[in-house]
Amino acid sequence: MKARTVLGAALGTVGGAVVGNHLLKRRAGDLESPLPGIERTYRWRGIESTYTVAGDPNDPDMLLLHGIYAGASSREFAPIMEQLADDYHVYAVDLPGFARSERPPLIYSASLYAEFIRDFAADITDEPIVVASSVTGAFAADAADETDIERLVLICPTEETSDARPWVRTLLRTPIVGTALYNLLASKPSIRYFYDRDGYYDSDRIDADEVQYAWDSAHQPGARYAPASFAAGTLDPEFDLATELAALETPTTLVWGRDAELVPLREGRDLAEAADLDLVVIDYATQLPHAEHPDTFVEYLSAELPRAGIGVDE
C-alpha cells in the first residue's frame, strides 16, 4: 500500500509539473522589440540572432551587450539607447540563447559567446565601441584580443559567477523536472528578487514592465538552456580577467556601482589597479548603474569618449 501511495504521489507531482510547465509556456507572449530602432537578424553558425540598430550610420559604431541571467535581453539598455543613438550608430543584440534570438539546446560556453561577439563585431560593425555588462564583459575582453574594437566599456565585469557544477546544467535541461525547477528560478518573484538584490540600489526604480519582459523572455521555447549553463558555473571564462585586460591593447574603462555586492567595488578597484585601467564609480547603484542612473552613466561615458561628443554643449 505504501509503495502504491508513493508511486501515486510521484505520478501526481510529475503530472502537476507537466501541466504547470505547459500553462507557463502558454502565458508567455511573443517578445516585441523593447528598443527604438530597426530590428535586424544575424545568422551565425545556424543560429538566428536578433539585434536593434539606431542612430546615424555616419556616427561611430557602438555595440551593446547585455549580461547573462534568466530573462536577460537587450532591454537592459532601454534607458540609454535613445541618448546613445544621438551620437552613435548603436547596435543592441540579444545574445544567442536569450530573448528574441534563437535558443537551440546547445552546451553554451564562454568561448561560444566570445566567438559570437568577435564575429558579430567583424561582420556587422566597423571598429565598434563595445559596452558589455557583467560576465559578458569577460567575453568581450576575450573577443577584443582578435577583433578591431575601438574601446571597451565594461560594467561590473567578472570571470567568476559560481563554482562549476555541471550536474546543475544537466538537471535543468531535463524535459519535465528541469523545466519545473527552471520555472521556479525564473518566476516573477525570483526575477524581482534578482533586480532588488543585485540589479538596483533603489527598489522603487524597478519597473513592473521590466520584470514582465524578463519573465516573458525567460519563458520562450528553449529559454532554459543558456541560463542552465550559467547556473552551473560553466560560462565562466578559463582565464584571469586582470591578466587578460592588462595584455589588451584596446583602451578599456571599467564602470561600477558603488554599492554592488554580487561583484563588489573592491574587485573593481583591484581589477583597475592590476590592469592599469580607468575606473568610473556611480553612486547609489549596484550591478546595473546604466539602467538605474542612465543620465549619469551617459555623462560619464561622454567624458571617457570625447570624440563622440555625447552630452557636450556645442
Side-chain angles (χ1 to χ4, degrees), residues 250-294:
T250 307
T252 301
T253 298
L254 306 177
V255 180
W256 234 272
R258 186 177 297 280
D259 297 283
E261 294 184 3
L262 187 64
V263 187
L265 178 57
R266 67 175 179 276
E267 294 187 17
R269 288 179 173 139
D270 291 345
L271 187 60
E273 182 178 358
D276 192 24
L277 305 176
D278 292 332
L279 172 64
V280 171
V281 179
I282 296 181
D283 292 330
Y284 306 110
T286 57
Q287 297 296 128
L288 301 172
H290 51 303
E292 185 162 15
H293 300 291

Side-chain angles (χ1 to χ4, degrees), residues 297-309:
F297 180 82
V298 172
E299 179 183 344
Y300 278 122
L301 204 61
S302 69
E304 293 297 323
L305 307 173
R307 75 186 187 90

Side-chain angles (χ1 to χ4, degrees), residues 34-239:
L35 302 172
I38 299 171
E39 184 175 305
R40 294 177 179 164
T41 58
Y42 170 62
R43 193 162 187 82
W44 180 78
R45 299 185 183 178
I47 303 172
E48 199 85 1
S49 59
T50 301
Y51 65 97
T52 301
V53 60
D56 188 335
N58 293 316
D59 287 337
D61 284 353
M62 176 176 283
L63 175 58
L64 306 180
L65 301 169
H66 62 78
I68 302 290
Y69 49 89
S73 74
S74 58
R75 193 189 190 285
E76 179 179 320
F77 296 101
I80 61 174
M81 184 76 169
E82 286 191 78
Q83 292 186 68
L84 293 175
D86 286 341
D87 295 275
Y88 290 101
H89 193 214
V90 184
Y91 298 80
V93 65
D94 286 330
L95 294 172
F98 292 93
R100 295 167 300 137
S101 291
E102 288 186 340
R103 298 164 293 277
L106 305 176
I107 301 299
Y108 291 85
S109 65
S111 60
L112 179 144
Y113 283 113
E115 289 165 11
F116 171 81
I117 294 168
R118 187 178 294 123
D119 291 344
F120 186 96
D123 295 344
I124 304 298
T125 70
D126 181 18
E127 296 187 31
I129 297 161
V130 174
V131 179
S133 176
S134 190
V135 69
T136 308
F139 306 155
D142 190 5
D145 189 38
E146 299 179 16
T147 310
D148 289 331
I149 289 176
E150 177 70 23
R151 190 180 189 93
L152 289 173
V153 178
L154 307 182
I155 305 166
C156 298
T158 182
E159 82 275 40
E160 296 181 2
T161 57
S162 63
D163 296 331
R165 297 168 294 183
W167 63 268
V168 172
R169 180 180 60 198
T170 302
L171 178 62
L172 289 174
R173 289 171 64 94
T174 58
I176 298 174
V177 176
T179 301
L181 289 173
Y182 171 74
N183 286 337
L184 289 175
L185 293 172
S187 66
K188 284 185 181 178
S190 294
I191 291 171
R192 171 83 191 194
Y193 176 73
F194 163 73
Y195 283 132
D196 192 22
R197 185 192 66 177
D198 296 319
Y200 289 80
Y201 176 85
D202 183 358
S203 59
D204 290 339
R205 293 180 179 270
I206 303 172
D207 188 270
D209 290 341
E210 181 177 21
V211 175
Q212 181 65 51
Y213 192 90
W215 187 89
D216 286 339
S217 175
H219 290 85
Q220 299 298 307
R224 75 183 189 278
Y225 297 123
S229 292
F230 175 72
T234 54
L235 282 186
D236 293 358
E238 296 182 358
F239 56 72

